[in-house]
Amino acid sequence: MYPAPYSNFLIADDRQFDQTQLNFQKCILIGNWMMLTSLTVTLMCVAITFGFDQYFSIASQVTAHIATIIFAGVLKVGYVLRCVGVHGLGHKVF
């Protein structure tokens, strides 16, 4: 049996999924969006902390530094969620 196909950012309307496949598909979508969002926020925080530090107050820099650590962790959680969905659909390569 071949693994079920999956979409990356939106659920495909032309495919019919059973409830289990739909749940794993949602895991993939949520994981992908979490990774994209957290990567964007992490890059902005790194830019605030190290690239444009002369334009921000020390409180903003401290907040951005802490947010960098938090959103890097969210990125990892998103990747694990995506791996759960892909594995649940039967794929062996993540």
Side-chain angles (χ1 to χ4, degrees), residues 30-47:
I30 292 169
N32 285 343
W33 282 107
M34 280 177 67
M35 289 190 305
L36 182 66
T37 304
S38 64
L39 179 65
T40 303
V41 173
T42 301
L43 291 176
M44 288 189 310
C45 290
V46 167

Side-chain angles (χ1 to χ4, degrees), residues 56-67:
F56 293 95
S57 68
I58 191 70
S60 298
Q61 292 179 43
V62 168
T63 303
H65 187 75
I66 293 169

Side-chain angles (χ1 to χ4, degrees), residues 9-26:
F9 291 102
L10 298 171
I11 294 178
D13 293 332
D14 60 342
R15 296 193 178 110
Q16 295 294 336
F17 297 109
D18 65 9
Q19 190 59 42
T20 304
Q21 287 178 334
L22 187 61
N23 288 339
F24 286 126
Q25 182 73 27
K26 288 178 183 178

Side-chain angles (χ1 to χ4, degrees), residues 51-88:
F52 302 104
D53 54 342
Q54 66 271 19
Y55 300 113
F56 293 95
S57 68
I58 191 70
S60 298
Q61 292 179 43
V62 168
T63 303
H65 187 75
I66 293 169
T68 301
I69 297 167
I70 292 170
F71 282 99
V74 172
L75 179 80
K76 294 172 187 176
V77 170
Y79 180 71
V80 169
L81 186 61
R82 181 189 184 284
C83 287
V84 166
V86 171
H87 180 71

Side-chain angles (χ1 to χ4, degrees), residues 1-6 21 86-92:
M1 181 173 148
Y2 294 106
Y6 63 90
Q21 287 178 334
V86 171
H87 180 71
L89 290 178
H91 294 270
K92 302 296 181 202

